[in-house]
Amino acid sequence: MLKHYPQWLAIVEAEQAYAGYEVLNNMPAFYQQLKQSLTYPLAWGNAPEKDFNRWRAQAREKLLECMQPAPPQADFDMKVIESEQREGYTAQKIVFNVSGYSRVPAYLLVPEGKGPFPAVLLLHDHGAHFTIGKEKMVRPFNVSETVMQDADDWAVRCYDGQYVGDFLARNGYVVLAVDALFWGERGRKEYADYDAQQALSANLLQMGMSFGSLIAWDDIRSAEFLSSLPNVDKEKVGTMGFSMGAHRAWMTMAATDAVKAGAAVCWMNTTDSLMTLTNNQNKGGSAYSMIIPDIRRYMDYPHVASIACPKPMLFTNGTKDKLFPIEGVKSAYETMRQVWESQDAGEHFQTKIYDLPHFCSKEIQQAILDFFNKEFHVGNINK
Protein backbone atom coordinates (compact mmCIF):
# COMPACT_ATOMS: atom_id res chain seq x y z
CA MET A 1 0.00 0.00 0.00
CA LEU A 2 2.76 2.45 0.91
CA LYS A 3 4.45 1.80 -2.41
CA HIS A 4 1.41 3.16 -4.30
CA TYR A 5 0.60 5.99 -1.86
CA PRO A 6 2.10 8.91 -3.86
CA GLN A 7 0.11 8.01 -6.99
CA TRP A 8 -3.02 7.44 -4.89
CA LEU A 9 -2.55 10.81 -3.19
CA ALA A 10 -2.10 12.59 -6.51
CA ILE A 11 -5.35 11.09 -7.79
CA VAL A 12 -7.28 12.07 -4.66
CA GLU A 13 -5.91 15.62 -4.72
CA ALA A 14 -6.74 15.98 -8.41
CA GLU A 15 -10.27 14.69 -7.92
CA GLN A 16 -10.80 17.07 -5.02
CA ALA A 17 -9.40 20.01 -6.99
CA TYR A 18 -11.78 19.29 -9.88
CA ALA A 19 -14.88 18.71 -7.73
CA GLY A 20 -17.94 19.81 -9.68
CA TYR A 21 -16.32 19.30 -13.09
CA GLU A 22 -16.54 16.25 -15.36
CA VAL A 23 -13.03 16.42 -16.83
CA LEU A 24 -10.03 15.80 -14.56
CA ASN A 25 -6.83 16.99 -16.22
CA ASN A 26 -7.42 15.40 -19.64
CA MET A 27 -9.49 12.46 -18.40
CA PRO A 28 -13.26 12.04 -18.08
CA ALA A 29 -14.35 11.93 -14.45
CA PHE A 30 -15.66 8.42 -15.11
CA TYR A 31 -12.31 7.11 -16.40
CA GLN A 32 -12.03 4.55 -13.62
CA GLN A 33 -15.38 3.04 -14.60
CA LEU A 34 -14.25 2.99 -18.22
CA LYS A 35 -11.08 1.12 -17.30
CA GLN A 36 -13.07 -1.36 -15.22
CA SER A 37 -15.29 -2.04 -18.21
CA LEU A 38 -12.30 -3.26 -20.24
CA THR A 39 -12.41 -7.03 -19.78
CA TYR A 40 -10.38 -7.94 -22.91
CA PRO A 41 -12.60 -10.84 -24.00
CA LEU A 42 -10.34 -11.81 -26.92
CA ALA A 43 -7.11 -12.09 -24.88
CA TRP A 44 -5.53 -15.54 -24.85
CA GLY A 45 -6.97 -17.26 -21.80
CA ASN A 46 -10.10 -15.09 -21.82
CA ALA A 47 -11.28 -16.00 -25.31
CA PRO A 48 -13.59 -18.98 -25.76
CA GLU A 49 -11.19 -20.44 -28.34
CA LYS A 50 -8.74 -22.78 -26.56
CA ASP A 51 -6.69 -23.93 -29.55
CA PHE A 52 -3.80 -21.47 -29.71
CA ASN A 53 -3.31 -21.49 -33.48
CA ARG A 54 -7.00 -20.86 -34.08
CA TRP A 55 -7.00 -18.16 -31.38
CA ARG A 56 -3.97 -16.53 -32.95
CA ALA A 57 -5.71 -16.40 -36.34
CA GLN A 58 -8.89 -14.98 -34.81
CA ALA A 59 -7.02 -12.39 -32.74
CA ARG A 60 -5.00 -11.25 -35.75
CA GLU A 61 -8.15 -11.05 -37.84
CA LYS A 62 -9.76 -8.83 -35.20
CA LEU A 63 -6.65 -6.64 -34.99
CA LEU A 64 -6.61 -6.15 -38.76
CA GLU A 65 -10.35 -5.51 -38.73
CA CYS A 66 -9.83 -2.69 -36.21
CA MET A 67 -7.14 -1.27 -38.51
CA GLN A 68 -9.38 -1.11 -41.59
CA PRO A 69 -9.41 0.18 -44.21
CA ALA A 70 -6.08 -1.04 -45.52
CA PRO A 71 -4.44 1.16 -48.17
CA PRO A 72 -4.52 -0.33 -51.68
CA GLN A 73 -1.45 -2.39 -52.52
CA ALA A 74 0.88 -1.75 -55.45
CA ASP A 75 3.97 -3.41 -56.89
CA PHE A 76 6.99 -2.32 -54.89
CA ASP A 77 8.90 -1.15 -58.01
CA MET A 78 12.07 -0.31 -56.06
CA LYS A 79 14.57 2.12 -57.56
CA VAL A 80 18.03 2.98 -56.20
CA ILE A 81 18.52 6.75 -56.29
CA GLU A 82 22.06 6.96 -54.93
CA SER A 83 24.51 4.98 -52.86
CA GLU A 84 27.53 5.37 -50.61
CA GLN A 85 30.17 2.77 -49.81
CA ARG A 86 30.79 2.37 -46.08
CA GLU A 87 32.99 0.09 -44.02
CA GLY A 88 31.67 -3.41 -44.67
CA TYR A 89 28.40 -2.41 -46.33
CA THR A 90 26.75 -0.13 -48.88
CA ALA A 91 24.19 2.52 -47.97
CA GLN A 92 21.52 3.00 -50.63
CA LYS A 93 18.85 5.67 -50.89
CA ILE A 94 15.87 4.00 -52.51
CA VAL A 95 12.23 4.63 -53.32
CA PHE A 96 9.46 2.03 -53.45
CA ASN A 97 5.68 1.85 -53.37
CA VAL A 98 4.63 1.16 -49.80
CA SER A 99 1.00 1.34 -50.96
CA GLY A 100 -1.15 2.51 -53.82
CA TYR A 101 -1.16 5.88 -52.08
CA SER A 102 2.50 6.45 -51.31
CA ARG A 103 5.84 6.03 -53.06
CA VAL A 104 8.31 6.48 -50.22
CA PRO A 105 12.02 7.19 -49.77
CA ALA A 106 14.02 4.83 -47.59
CA TYR A 107 17.52 3.81 -46.63
CA LEU A 108 18.63 0.27 -47.47
CA LEU A 109 21.94 -0.95 -46.05
CA VAL A 110 23.48 -4.02 -47.71
CA PRO A 111 26.50 -5.88 -46.25
CA GLU A 112 29.45 -6.87 -48.41
CA GLY A 113 29.67 -10.49 -49.44
CA LYS A 114 27.35 -13.08 -50.85
CA GLY A 115 23.84 -13.31 -49.50
CA PRO A 116 21.21 -14.10 -48.66
CA PHE A 117 21.61 -12.10 -45.45
CA PRO A 118 19.52 -11.79 -42.31
CA ALA A 119 17.65 -8.50 -42.26
CA VAL A 120 16.04 -6.03 -39.87
CA LEU A 121 13.27 -3.54 -40.48
CA LEU A 122 14.09 -0.52 -38.29
CA LEU A 123 11.14 1.56 -37.11
CA HIS A 124 11.94 5.06 -35.91
CA ASP A 125 10.68 6.79 -32.77
CA HIS A 126 8.27 9.70 -32.34
CA GLY A 127 10.02 12.05 -29.93
CA ALA A 128 7.78 14.98 -30.92
CA HIS A 129 10.53 15.48 -33.49
CA PHE A 130 9.25 15.31 -37.05
CA THR A 131 11.98 16.84 -39.22
CA ILE A 132 13.73 13.47 -39.56
CA GLY A 133 12.46 9.89 -39.49
CA LYS A 134 14.59 7.21 -41.13
CA GLU A 135 17.62 9.39 -40.39
CA LYS A 136 17.10 8.63 -36.70
CA MET A 137 18.06 5.03 -37.44
CA VAL A 138 20.52 5.26 -40.36
CA ARG A 139 23.27 7.82 -40.85
CA PRO A 140 22.14 9.93 -43.82
CA PHE A 141 24.29 10.96 -46.76
CA ASN A 142 24.14 13.64 -49.45
CA VAL A 143 21.84 15.71 -47.25
CA SER A 144 22.00 19.30 -46.08
CA GLU A 145 24.19 20.26 -43.15
CA THR A 146 21.00 20.97 -41.20
CA VAL A 147 19.66 17.44 -41.68
CA MET A 148 23.04 15.90 -40.91
CA GLN A 149 23.35 17.88 -37.67
CA ASP A 150 19.77 17.05 -36.78
CA ALA A 151 20.40 13.32 -37.24
CA ASP A 152 23.69 13.35 -35.33
CA ASP A 153 22.10 15.22 -32.43
CA TRP A 154 19.21 12.74 -32.30
CA ALA A 155 21.57 9.77 -32.37
CA VAL A 156 23.29 11.18 -29.28
CA ARG A 157 20.06 12.09 -27.51
CA CYS A 158 18.27 8.76 -27.97
CA TYR A 159 20.76 6.15 -29.23
CA ASP A 160 23.95 6.76 -27.27
CA GLY A 161 25.68 8.34 -30.26
CA GLN A 162 25.32 5.24 -32.45
CA TYR A 163 23.13 4.78 -35.52
CA VAL A 164 21.38 1.46 -34.94
CA GLY A 165 21.08 0.68 -38.64
CA ASP A 166 24.76 1.18 -39.36
CA PHE A 167 25.66 -0.90 -36.30
CA LEU A 168 23.54 -3.81 -37.56
CA ALA A 169 24.79 -3.49 -41.14
CA ARG A 170 28.42 -3.66 -39.98
CA ASN A 171 27.46 -6.90 -38.32
CA GLY A 172 26.07 -8.53 -41.43
CA TYR A 173 22.40 -7.46 -41.58
CA VAL A 174 20.47 -5.93 -44.44
CA VAL A 175 18.69 -2.94 -42.90
CA LEU A 176 15.63 -1.06 -44.10
CA ALA A 177 14.52 2.27 -42.57
CA VAL A 178 11.47 4.14 -43.89
CA ASP A 179 9.86 7.44 -42.90
CA ALA A 180 6.45 7.11 -41.28
CA LEU A 181 3.83 9.53 -42.59
CA PHE A 182 4.40 13.02 -41.09
CA TRP A 183 8.15 12.46 -40.50
CA GLY A 184 11.16 13.45 -42.59
CA GLU A 185 10.58 13.37 -46.33
CA ARG A 186 6.96 12.28 -45.73
CA GLY A 187 6.29 15.34 -43.60
CA ARG A 188 4.69 18.71 -44.25
CA LYS A 189 6.17 21.83 -45.82
CA GLU A 190 5.01 23.96 -42.91
CA TYR A 191 6.29 23.58 -39.36
CA ALA A 192 5.29 20.20 -37.91
CA ASP A 193 4.10 19.99 -34.32
CA TYR A 194 1.57 18.22 -32.12
CA ASP A 195 -1.27 20.46 -33.31
CA ALA A 196 -0.59 19.62 -36.95
CA GLN A 197 -0.31 15.93 -36.09
CA GLN A 198 -3.66 16.07 -34.27
CA ALA A 199 -5.25 17.77 -37.29
CA LEU A 200 -3.86 15.11 -39.63
CA SER A 201 -5.20 12.37 -37.37
CA ALA A 202 -8.63 14.03 -37.15
CA ASN A 203 -8.79 14.50 -40.92
CA LEU A 204 -7.92 10.84 -41.54
CA LEU A 205 -10.59 9.76 -39.04
CA GLN A 206 -13.18 11.90 -40.80
CA MET A 207 -12.34 10.04 -44.02
CA GLY A 208 -12.63 6.63 -42.36
CA MET A 209 -8.98 5.88 -41.58
CA SER A 210 -6.89 6.24 -38.42
CA PHE A 211 -3.37 7.66 -38.36
CA GLY A 212 -2.07 4.84 -36.15
CA SER A 213 -3.57 2.19 -38.40
CA LEU A 214 -2.09 3.77 -41.53
CA ILE A 215 1.37 3.72 -39.95
CA ALA A 216 0.85 0.06 -39.03
CA TRP A 217 -0.23 -0.88 -42.56
CA ASP A 218 2.85 0.88 -44.01
CA ASP A 219 5.05 -1.05 -41.55
CA ILE A 220 3.46 -4.35 -42.59
CA ARG A 221 4.05 -3.59 -46.24
CA SER A 222 7.63 -2.45 -45.52
CA ALA A 223 8.27 -5.80 -43.83
CA GLU A 224 6.87 -7.62 -46.86
CA PHE A 225 9.06 -5.51 -49.14
CA LEU A 226 12.20 -6.31 -47.13
CA SER A 227 11.34 -10.01 -47.12
CA SER A 228 10.92 -9.93 -50.92
CA LEU A 229 14.46 -8.74 -51.66
CA PRO A 230 16.56 -11.43 -53.38
CA ASN A 231 19.57 -10.89 -51.10
CA VAL A 232 17.49 -11.33 -47.93
CA ASP A 233 16.92 -14.64 -46.16
CA LYS A 234 13.13 -14.68 -45.80
CA GLU A 235 13.35 -16.88 -42.70
CA LYS A 236 15.64 -14.40 -40.95
CA VAL A 237 13.78 -11.09 -41.14
CA GLY A 238 13.42 -9.19 -37.87
CA THR A 239 12.12 -5.83 -36.77
CA MET A 240 13.31 -3.41 -34.10
CA GLY A 241 12.22 -0.05 -32.79
CA PHE A 242 12.61 2.39 -29.91
CA SER A 243 9.73 4.25 -28.23
CA MET A 244 6.98 4.65 -30.85
CA GLY A 245 9.19 2.43 -32.99
CA ALA A 246 8.93 -0.28 -30.32
CA HIS A 247 5.12 -0.09 -30.47
CA ARG A 248 5.40 -0.36 -34.24
CA ALA A 249 7.76 -3.34 -33.92
CA TRP A 250 5.49 -5.53 -31.80
CA MET A 251 2.45 -4.43 -33.80
CA THR A 252 4.20 -5.58 -36.98
CA MET A 253 5.17 -8.84 -35.29
CA ALA A 254 1.52 -9.40 -34.35
CA ALA A 255 0.08 -8.39 -37.71
CA THR A 256 2.29 -10.26 -40.20
CA ASP A 257 4.53 -13.31 -40.34
CA ALA A 258 6.82 -11.61 -42.86
CA VAL A 259 8.88 -10.80 -39.76
CA LYS A 260 10.19 -13.73 -37.74
CA ALA A 261 11.67 -12.02 -34.63
CA GLY A 262 11.33 -8.64 -32.98
CA ALA A 263 12.96 -6.31 -30.46
CA ALA A 264 11.00 -3.53 -28.74
CA VAL A 265 12.80 -0.89 -26.66
CA CYS A 266 10.80 1.31 -24.26
CA TRP A 267 7.21 0.75 -25.27
CA MET A 268 5.18 -1.83 -23.41
CA ASN A 269 2.67 -1.39 -20.63
CA THR A 270 -0.97 -1.89 -19.67
CA THR A 271 -3.90 0.40 -20.27
CA ASP A 272 -4.60 0.40 -16.54
CA SER A 273 -1.13 1.85 -15.81
CA LEU A 274 -1.10 4.31 -18.70
CA MET A 275 -4.60 5.72 -18.39
CA THR A 276 -4.16 7.73 -15.19
CA LEU A 277 -4.48 11.42 -14.35
CA THR A 278 -0.73 11.96 -14.41
CA ASN A 279 0.75 9.77 -17.18
CA ASN A 280 2.06 11.31 -20.39
CA GLN A 281 -0.16 9.02 -22.46
CA ASN A 282 -3.31 10.90 -21.42
CA LYS A 283 -2.08 14.13 -23.03
CA GLY A 284 -2.73 12.98 -26.59
CA GLY A 285 0.43 14.09 -28.37
CA SER A 286 2.34 11.05 -29.52
CA ALA A 287 -0.63 8.77 -28.74
CA TYR A 288 -2.34 9.81 -31.99
CA SER A 289 0.24 7.86 -34.01
CA MET A 290 -0.43 4.62 -32.11
CA ILE A 291 -4.19 4.53 -31.53
CA ILE A 292 -5.97 1.60 -33.15
CA PRO A 293 -9.74 2.27 -32.98
CA ASP A 294 -11.81 -0.15 -30.88
CA ILE A 295 -8.95 -2.58 -30.13
CA ARG A 296 -9.25 -2.02 -26.35
CA ARG A 297 -12.72 -3.56 -26.52
CA TYR A 298 -10.98 -6.86 -27.27
CA MET A 299 -7.33 -6.87 -26.17
CA ASP A 300 -4.85 -4.84 -24.15
CA TYR A 301 -1.33 -4.00 -25.39
CA PRO A 302 0.36 -7.20 -24.13
CA HIS A 303 -2.49 -9.31 -25.53
CA VAL A 304 -2.01 -7.81 -29.00
CA ALA A 305 1.75 -8.33 -28.78
CA SER A 306 1.10 -11.96 -27.79
CA ILE A 307 -0.32 -12.65 -31.25
CA ALA A 308 3.36 -12.80 -32.24
CA CYS A 309 3.85 -15.92 -30.09
CA PRO A 310 5.72 -18.27 -30.55
CA LYS A 311 8.04 -16.04 -32.59
CA PRO A 312 11.10 -14.75 -30.67
CA MET A 313 10.61 -11.38 -28.97
CA LEU A 314 12.87 -9.19 -26.85
CA PHE A 315 11.34 -6.41 -24.76
CA THR A 316 13.40 -3.87 -22.82
CA ASN A 317 12.38 -0.95 -20.61
CA GLY A 318 14.05 1.34 -18.08
CA THR A 319 13.34 1.77 -14.39
CA LYS A 320 13.75 5.56 -14.80
CA ASP A 321 11.47 5.80 -17.85
CA LYS A 322 8.83 8.35 -16.79
CA LEU A 323 6.62 7.51 -19.76
CA PHE A 324 6.04 3.88 -18.81
CA PRO A 325 5.39 3.07 -15.13
CA ILE A 326 7.58 0.13 -14.18
CA GLU A 327 4.76 -1.77 -12.45
CA GLY A 328 2.77 -1.68 -15.67
CA VAL A 329 5.85 -2.83 -17.59
CA LYS A 330 6.30 -5.82 -15.28
CA SER A 331 2.61 -6.69 -15.43
CA ALA A 332 2.62 -6.63 -19.24
CA TYR A 333 5.81 -8.71 -19.33
CA GLU A 334 4.26 -11.33 -17.06
CA THR A 335 1.11 -11.48 -19.19
CA MET A 336 3.15 -12.12 -22.31
CA ARG A 337 5.52 -14.54 -20.61
CA GLN A 338 2.59 -16.73 -19.62
CA VAL A 339 1.45 -16.86 -23.25
CA TRP A 340 4.85 -17.88 -24.59
CA GLU A 341 5.32 -20.44 -21.83
CA SER A 342 1.86 -21.87 -22.49
CA GLN A 343 3.10 -22.70 -26.00
CA ASP A 344 6.42 -24.19 -24.82
CA ALA A 345 8.20 -21.17 -26.33
CA GLY A 346 9.37 -19.49 -23.13
CA GLU A 347 13.00 -19.60 -24.25
CA HIS A 348 12.07 -17.35 -27.18
CA PHE A 349 10.58 -14.64 -24.96
CA GLN A 350 13.13 -12.34 -23.35
CA THR A 351 12.75 -9.24 -21.21
CA LYS A 352 15.39 -6.92 -19.81
CA ILE A 353 14.91 -3.99 -17.45
CA TYR A 354 17.76 -1.48 -17.32
CA ASP A 355 18.47 1.25 -14.80
CA LEU A 356 17.90 3.84 -17.51
CA PRO A 357 15.44 6.54 -18.57
CA HIS A 358 13.68 6.51 -21.96
CA PHE A 359 16.83 5.67 -23.92
CA CYS A 360 18.30 3.08 -26.31
CA SER A 361 21.88 2.67 -25.13
CA LYS A 362 24.75 0.93 -26.90
CA GLU A 363 24.41 -1.84 -24.33
CA ILE A 364 20.80 -2.37 -25.36
CA GLN A 365 21.75 -2.29 -29.04
CA GLN A 366 24.38 -4.96 -28.42
CA ALA A 367 21.79 -7.07 -26.58
CA ILE A 368 19.49 -6.74 -29.60
CA LEU A 369 22.25 -7.84 -31.98
CA ASP A 370 23.03 -10.80 -29.74
CA PHE A 371 19.33 -11.67 -29.63
CA PHE A 372 18.94 -11.66 -33.41
CA ASN A 373 22.19 -13.56 -33.88
CA LYS A 374 21.04 -16.25 -31.47
CA GLU A 375 17.54 -16.60 -32.85
CA PHE A 376 18.67 -16.46 -36.48
CA HIS A 377 21.72 -18.68 -35.88
CA VAL A 378 24.20 -16.25 -37.38
CA GLY A 379 27.71 -15.33 -36.25
CA ASN A 380 28.49 -12.09 -34.45
CA ILE A 381 30.90 -10.16 -36.67
CA ASN A 382 30.95 -7.42 -34.00
CA LYS A 383 32.94 -4.86 -35.92
Side-chain angles (χ1 to χ4, degrees), residues 57-127:
Q58 291 172 9
R60 176 178 286 176
E61 182 180 8
K62 181 57 69 176
L63 173 63
L64 298 181
E65 177 186 314
C66 291
M67 290 165 48
Q68 293 295 327
Q73 290 191 7
D75 292 340
F76 295 122
D77 189 25
M78 183 193 87
K79 296 289 189 297
V80 178
I81 298 174
E82 52 188 344
S83 64
E84 178 180 87
Q85 184 63 43
R86 297 180 180 175
E87 184 182 356
Y89 62 101
T90 300
Q92 297 178 341
K93 178 76 173 292
I94 66 169
V95 292
F96 72 97
N97 296 321
V98 75
S99 71
Y101 295 143
S102 302
R103 185 163 177 80
V104 299
Y107 281 127
L108 183 68
L109 307 183
V110 182
E112 293 176 351
K114 184 179 180 181
F117 302 100
V120 177
L121 171 65
L122 288 183
L123 301 169
H124 66 75
D125 60 76
H126 188 293

Side-chain angles (χ1 to χ4, degrees), residues 100-369:
Y101 295 143
S102 302
R103 185 163 177 80
V104 299
Y107 281 127
L108 183 68
L109 307 183
V110 182
E112 293 176 351
K114 184 179 180 181
F117 302 100
V120 177
L121 171 65
L122 288 183
L123 301 169
H124 66 75
D125 60 76
H126 188 293
H129 190 76
F130 305 107
T131 49
I132 53 174
K134 61 188 178 298
E135 296 84 3
K136 295 178 178 183
M137 310 302 286
V138 171
R139 181 166 59 86
F141 63 100
N142 292 345
V143 295
S144 69
E145 184 177 343
T146 300
V147 171
M148 192 72 241
Q149 185 63 51
D150 195 2
D152 283 343
D153 289 346
W154 201 254
V156 171
R157 181 183 302 185
C158 294
Y159 299 96
D160 215 359
Q162 178 169 261
Y163 287 96
V164 183
D166 295 79
F167 171 66
L168 292 172
R170 287 197 303 271
N171 283 278
Y173 284 78
V174 171
V175 171
L176 176 67
V178 187
D179 291 322
L181 182 67
F182 201 70
W183 277 266
E185 293 180 90
R186 298 184 70 191
R188 70 198 297 257
K189 181 178 180 180
E190 301 81 10
Y191 179 70
D193 57 12
Y194 274 146
D195 287 343
Q197 180 196 232
Q198 177 178 337
L200 172 64
S201 179
N203 290 333
L204 286 168
L205 285 170
Q206 291 188 86
M207 292 182 286
M209 176 179 283
S210 79
F211 184 34
S213 297
L214 179 59
I215 290 173
W217 284 117
D218 283 355
D219 292 342
I220 292 168
R221 197 61 176 151
S222 294
E224 293 170 348
F225 165 69
L226 180 58
S227 180
S228 75
L229 296 177
N231 58 353
V232 166
D233 185 334
K234 293 176 176 55
E235 298 305 312
K236 298 180 179 180
V237 177
T239 185
M240 175 269 171
F242 163 68
S243 195
M244 178 186 78
H247 182 282
R248 296 167 65 192
W250 55 255
M251 275 287 294
T252 305
M253 285 286 290
T256 176
D257 289 329
V259 282
K260 311 299 184 182
V265 181
C266 293
W267 210 119
M268 177 48 67
N269 219 272
T270 65
T271 298
D272 185 59
S273 290
L274 293 180
M275 290 291 96
T276 68
L277 295 181
T278 56
N279 187 263
N280 182 73
Q281 192 77 2
N282 78 9
K283 299 175 183 177
S286 62
Y288 281 99
S289 60
M290 291 166 276
I291 294 172
I292 308 300
D294 292 337
I295 194 62
R296 292 290 84 77
R297 292 169 54 199
Y298 305 99
M299 294 175 282
D300 200 0
Y301 300 110
H303 305 140
V304 172
S306 293
I307 300 172
C309 177
K311 294 187 289 186
M313 283 292 304
L314 169 64
F315 288 89
T316 70
N317 278 82
T319 58
K320 298 176 182 176
D321 189 335
K322 296 180 180 180
L323 301 180
F324 296 97
I326 195 63
E327 292 305 317
V329 170
K330 292 178 179 178
S331 176
Y333 283 2
E334 181 57 27
T335 295
M336 293 186 292
R337 184 178 304 283
Q338 290 177 13
V339 177
W340 263 260
E341 289 180 350
S342 76
Q343 302 308 305
D344 298 321
E347 72 275 15
H348 297 302
F349 181 77
Q350 296 184 31
T351 63
K352 294 178 180 290
I353 296 179
Y354 294 84
D355 188 28
L356 288 172
H358 199 68
F359 189 63
C360 185
S361 67
K362 288 181 180 177
E363 181 184 6
I364 292 174
Q365 294 174 48
Q366 182 63 52
I368 290 168
L369 174 63

Side-chain angles (χ1 to χ4, degrees), residues 15-52:
E15 290 176 344
Q16 290 175 343
Y18 282 83
Y21 295 89
E22 202 172 351
V23 177
L24 315 178
N25 291 355
N26 299 312
M27 299 288 278
F30 48 86
Y31 77 99
Q32 294 287 18
Q33 292 101 308
L34 276 178
K35 289 201 295 181
Q36 290 169 9
S37 73
L38 300 177
T39 59
Y40 309 121
L42 197 51
W44 174 246
N46 293 347
E49 180 58 66
K50 302 306 177 185
D51 178 88
F52 186 79

